[in-house]
Each structure stands twice: as structure tokens, then as C-alpha cells.
Amino acid sequence: MRKQIVFLNLLFSVAMWNAQATVVKGSVKSTDGKPVENVVVTDGYRFTSTNAQGEYSLDTDEAKSRFVYISTPSDYEIIASEGWNRSFFLPINPSDEGKTYDFTLTRRNRPAKKFVYLAVSDPQVTNEQELARYTNETLVDMQQTASRFKGKQEVYAMLLGDLVNDRMELFEPLRKSMASQGIVYSPVIGNHDHNQLYTALSNLEDTKNGYAEARYESFFGPYNYSFNVGDIHIIALKDIDYIKDRKYTERFGKEQLDWLKNDLSYVEPGTTVFINVHAPVFNQTDKGGGNARDAEEFRQIVKDYNVHVFAGHTHFYENNQVAPTLYEHNIGAACGAWWAGHVNRCGAPNGYLVVEVDGANVKWHYKATGRPADYQLRVYKPGEFKSAAGYVVANVWDWDSAWRVEWSEDGQSKGAMERFDDEDQDYIDMHGKPEDYHTRHLFRCQPSSGAKQIEIRATNRFGETYKQTVVL
């Protein structure tokens, strides 16, 4: 009897699967009509790759799958549509009986071993005034940065979530503002990019009654996806478990982690991988309060790759070398402290990260909006930093443990400055009161009585030194 029950349950499960499952198929060819083999294809849940004829076939569950899409190989161009990386996906049409979806790729004339990657955290515009600031400040600055590489290297930009601040009607003008930048844009979904009226799709059985990501998808496509440029595999991955009514938990969840595991199964171990998320995974300050809760599961999945995680969400700047092959950049927000002024909660200026890629080698610098590229630290004279009134204080926002921050007094070297944790004075002055977020990229030194001049030298992991002089 027990065996009969198990058998009937199995038949019922198969019947339910057949009721919802369907086959999507198609081909991937180059512009000359030749088939492209080994292109990874997914519906957001299941994966396959094209055969020697460039063909694929994929069982998909129409209850939840909205797109069929590819991971563009590095031998082929990332084609921008009005500035955005949008040619890699096609919506699944439930009324399309044939379910055939074909893709065409343009082969590169030469490999893109060298390229520039701009990681931009939290534009988070609430109204037209903030959108104007983003357009006239951030985007103008990014265009100036991109112009330095024009004709020499391709420039890509990844927006790390919170494109808007719960204002879905701003998706379209924001998207259009980046249409003619000469930069290929790709997005990550943030908590404020979800529709407050619904819960996340990962918490639902189907899409019938609406889901929180639908409006975002209508403008930007799938929220978990990947593509390849040069020797780098680039991933956008959701790590916000949205409940409803602005309630959420920073978490990948099983669907996202399964997607990541499947995507990386097609990538050679040891490859350099850029994983772009909204919420950070490995922060140490602020008690790690904004971190994705399933960080250890994530870490186990990526352990065989050379990974850079790019994150936003916190509106402060923090770098962490988590392991020899795992580095997280929690980047200062483009909007700083929600467009309140010119700095983030940690005192890092509004800005974005400029990553220069050469093969598998990665080099980065933070670019402060409206400032020269060598603006990498802010120095306070004695008396300006209220909690350390007798000290010269330096805020070195891109700091990690490989940096050296040293000082000299009247031409005599004094060695390393003392690192300390505190709240940045510039942020306190802008905010009007302390918030009690303590950053760890502050350094101080105490000049001698009668000293006339202090020089600060901050040297990053790439051997580049930035200097500022303080006349006492």
C-alpha cells in the first residue's frame, strides 16, 4: 500500500510539472549566420548551452519564468540599446505556442582584454530635483572619466541598485538620462527598486497576482544575469529578500544562490569574476548590520574563483579583503547621504569606483564627483576634527590593509599615522548632528609644539602615493 501511495504521489508530481512546464528553444548565431556553440542559456532557473549547430532547448516553468536569456561570450560584443545592456534577453510570451527565441551576436574584431568598469552605487533619486543632480553632477563626471579612454578601451558601468527611492515613475527618465553617454550600462536591483505593494517573486509560487520586481523588470530585464568581457566574468545578482511595504531582509535566498551556482558551473575555476550586488556581504563596521545574511553559503559557492564583490546600500565606504581570492568593495554612494550634500556617512565624497582591467589584473580608484582623480583623502587641521582637536586627521576612504598612511613634520619623517575609528566630522557638519556611524578609514597624528608644516602621504596597494600638506 505504501509503495502505491508513493507511486501515485510521483505520478501527481509529474502531472503537475507537465501542466506548468513547457519547452523554449531557439538558436544563437553570429551576424554572418554561423552558429555559436557553448553559449549559456537560462530562463532564470534552469540552464543549458548551445550545441554545435548553435541550438538550445530548455524546459521552463511558465508559472515563474519571465525571460529566456544568454550569457554573452567574451568573443562577442555587448550591444547597447540606448546606452543599456539589453540585447541578451527576450521576454517569454505565454501565448506563443512555438516558444522559439533566437539571438544574434556580433563577433569582436579584437579581444577586449583591457576595459574600464565603473561601479556606481545608489543614485536613489526621489524627485526631479535629485534626478537633475544625478544627471548634471554624477553623469557629467562619468562622461569626463569615460572620455579619457575613448577610442582606446571600452567603458562599462554597473549601477549597484537603488536606482530610485521607491519612485517607480522615475525609472524611465533615469534610463533615458544615460542613453547617449558612450558607456554601456547594466543594473542591479536594490530594495528601493521594488514595488511596495507586492512581495518578491522568490516568496511566491507564480506571477499571477503580481510581484515586487515586475516594474523594474519591465524597464531593465532580468535581475540575475551574467556576461563576459575580456577575461572577466561579470554577474549581477539580487540579494534583497523583499517582503512588502518597504520591509526586506538583506539575503540572497535559495533561488539566487542556486542561480549563482549554476551560472558559475559554466565558468573555468580560477577565472576573475565580478559579482555585483546591492547589499554588502562582508562588512565589519556597523556590526555588519547591512550584510546579506547567507554570506557563508555565498562564500562557499565562489571559493574556486578570483572574486571582486561590488556593493552599495550602506551609504558608506568600506573595503574588505575577505580571503586571498575574495575582495569586497562597498562603494560610497553616488547620492552620498541621500543627496543631503556632498559626502557619505563615512565622509567619503559622492562618487563612484573606476576599475581598470588588463587581462585578469584589476586596479581601482575612487572618483569623487566634481573633484580631480587624485583627490583620494581629506585632511583636517588641528581643531577642525572636534573629537580629535589636537590632531591632524586624514580620511582615506579607499583604504584597505595594504595602504600605508604616513606623515612628516617640517620635512622630518614621522612614520605611520595612527588609524582610529570615529564619526567623520565633515558628515557631522553636513548632517547637523552625530549619527554614531564610526568609520575605520580615519588616521591621525599630533604635531609638536612649534611645528610649521605637516605632510600626509597615503600610498595604495598599487604603489601610487597621494600627498596633502597642512600649514599650521
Side-chain angles (χ1 to χ4, degrees):
M1 182 65 180
R2 187 167 181 270
K3 289 183 179 179
Q4 287 178 321
I5 291 172
V6 171
F7 180 68
L8 289 172
N9 284 338
L10 179 61
L11 286 177
F12 177 76
S13 298
V14 171
M16 290 298 293
W17 165 254
N18 287 333
Q20 290 186 310
T22 188
V23 175
V24 294
K25 59 186 179 180
S27 65
V28 182
K29 295 181 179 180
S30 60
T31 50
D32 60 6
K34 294 180 179 178
V36 185
E37 189 178 5
N38 295 324
V39 178
V40 178
V41 185
T42 179
D43 66 348
Y45 298 92
R46 299 167 187 85
F47 286 71
T48 189
S49 60
T50 55
N51 60 22
Q53 287 72 47
E55 300 166 341
Y56 71 89
S57 177
L58 185 68
D59 288 333
T60 187
D61 181 357
E62 285 188 337
K64 295 192 76 168
S65 298
R66 292 88 59 215
F67 303 95
V68 59
Y69 52 104
I70 64 173
S71 182
T72 305
S74 60
D75 289 338
Y76 296 85
E77 294 181 7
I78 307 298
I79 302 296
S81 173
E82 297 182 324
W84 291 86
N85 176 15
R86 291 176 53 84
S87 61
F88 69 95
F89 66 89
L90 292 168
I92 295 175
N93 184 355
S95 63
D96 180 6
E97 293 184 5
K99 297 293 188 298
T100 300
Y101 302 94
D102 298 329
F103 296 88
T104 302
L105 298 177
T106 302
R107 181 174 284 277
R108 293 182 178 278
N109 293 325
R110 59 181 182 276
K113 296 290 187 180
K114 288 187 176 183
F115 66 94
V116 177
Y117 190 79
L118 309 180
V120 187
S121 153
D122 298 75
Q124 202 163 341
V125 295
T126 306
N127 50 47
E128 294 291 344
Q129 290 74 30
E130 291 178 0
L131 178 59
R133 282 197 65 184
Y134 177 66
T135 302
N136 297 325
E137 296 174 24
T138 311
L139 292 184
V140 167
D141 198 287
M142 290 172 63
Q143 183 65 47
Q144 291 169 351
T145 295
S147 67
R148 291 167 39 208
F149 303 96
K150 188 175 182 180
K152 296 180 289 186
Q153 296 178 40
E154 296 173 5
V155 180
Y156 297 86
M158 182 66 73
L159 303 185
L160 299 171
D162 283 3
L163 281 64
V164 299
N165 194 11
D166 298 311
R167 296 289 300 277
M168 309 285 112
E169 69 273 18
L170 292 175
F171 277 147
E172 180 66 6
L174 182 135
R175 187 177 71 171
K176 286 182 176 179
S177 72
M178 291 174 266
S180 303
Q181 291 284 312
I183 301 169
V184 180
Y185 286 91
S186 300
V188 171
I189 190 169
N191 50 290
H192 290 291
D193 300 320
H194 290 74
N195 190 325
Q196 300 176 55
L197 300 177
Y198 302 97
T199 189
L201 183 55
S202 56
N203 299 320
L204 300 171
E205 294 298 322
D206 56 48
T207 63
K208 291 178 181 177
N209 296 316
Y211 57 99
E213 303 93 340
R215 189 77 181 275
Y216 170 92
E217 288 182 337
S218 71
F219 287 99
F220 303 107
Y223 47 76
N224 300 324
Y225 60 94
S226 68
F227 57 99
N228 302 272
V229 181
D231 294 335
I232 310 297
H233 184 64
I234 301 170
I235 293 173
L237 188 66
K238 181 185 173 192
D239 67 348
I240 297 295
D241 184 4
Y242 200 78
I243 309 305
K244 198 177 181 180
D245 298 325
R246 301 185 72 175
K247 296 181 177 66
Y248 62 90
T249 301
E250 294 93 345
R251 176 168 47 225
F252 292 103
K254 185 178 186 304
E255 284 191 0
Q256 270 62 243
L257 293 176
D258 284 349
W259 187 95
L260 176 63
K261 190 183 300 182
N262 282 320
D263 180 80
L264 288 176
S265 72
Y266 293 90
V267 179
E268 187 73 25
T271 298
T272 298
V273 181
F274 289 177
I275 302 181
N276 302 272
V277 295
H278 181 57
V281 189
F282 301 107
N283 272 352
Q284 297 178 21
T285 65
D286 208 26
K287 300 179 181 178
N291 287 355
R293 305 299 191 264
D294 35 11
E296 188 53 38
E297 293 94 325
F298 172 86
R299 181 172 176 169
Q300 287 303 312
I301 293 170
V302 305
K303 62 182 174 58
D304 295 328
Y305 301 88
N306 182 24
V307 174
H308 287 265
V309 177
F310 300 97
H313 188 51
T314 62
H315 299 258
F316 61 73
Y317 202 121
E318 182 175 340
N319 290 325
N320 279 297
Q321 181 81 58
V322 183
T325 59
L326 179 56
Y327 192 105
E328 181 172 70
H329 313 254
N330 188 189
I331 302 160
C335 72
W338 302 273
W339 297 112
H342 60 285
V343 294
N344 285 265
R345 296 166 60 203
C346 64
N350 301 6
Y352 53 94
L353 195 67
V354 180
V355 183
E356 296 180 57
V357 179
D358 185 357
N361 297 316
V362 179
K363 181 179 178 181
W364 62 88
H365 307 85
Y366 189 64
K367 177 62 179 69
T369 304
R371 295 276 196 164
D374 62 356
Y375 182 63
Q376 297 294 321
L377 66 157
R378 197 265 202 229
V379 176
Y380 297 87
K381 294 181 178 181
E384 292 181 339
F385 202 99
K386 300 298 190 292
S387 63
Y391 292 82
V392 171
V393 174
N395 190 334
V396 187
W397 36 82
D398 195 28
W399 174 84
D400 62 24
S401 58
W403 279 70
R404 299 191 316 275
V405 184
E406 302 162 309
W407 67 296
S408 60
E409 181 181 85
D410 295 332
Q412 183 178 355
S413 176
K414 293 290 188 177
M417 295 180 73
E418 176 192 6
R419 188 179 68 81
F420 69 109
D421 296 355
D422 206 343
E423 190 160 4
D424 178 73
Q425 188 65 49
D426 203 1
Y427 175 72
I428 294 173
D429 294 343
M430 183 191 77
H431 188 56
K433 60 182 180 180
E435 185 194 62
D436 202 34
Y437 169 70
H438 285 209
T439 183
R440 61 180 188 172
H441 47 66
L442 295 171
F443 297 81
R444 64 187 175 191
C445 61
Q446 191 166 28
S448 304
S449 175
K452 294 182 174 58
Q453 183 172 289
I454 303 296
E455 183 183 73
I456 309 298
R457 300 180 307 280
T459 304
N460 66 15
R461 60 171 48 230
F462 310 112
E464 299 164 330
T465 300
Y466 304 95
K467 299 178 183 180
Q468 282 198 31
T469 299
V470 176
V471 178
L472 303 176

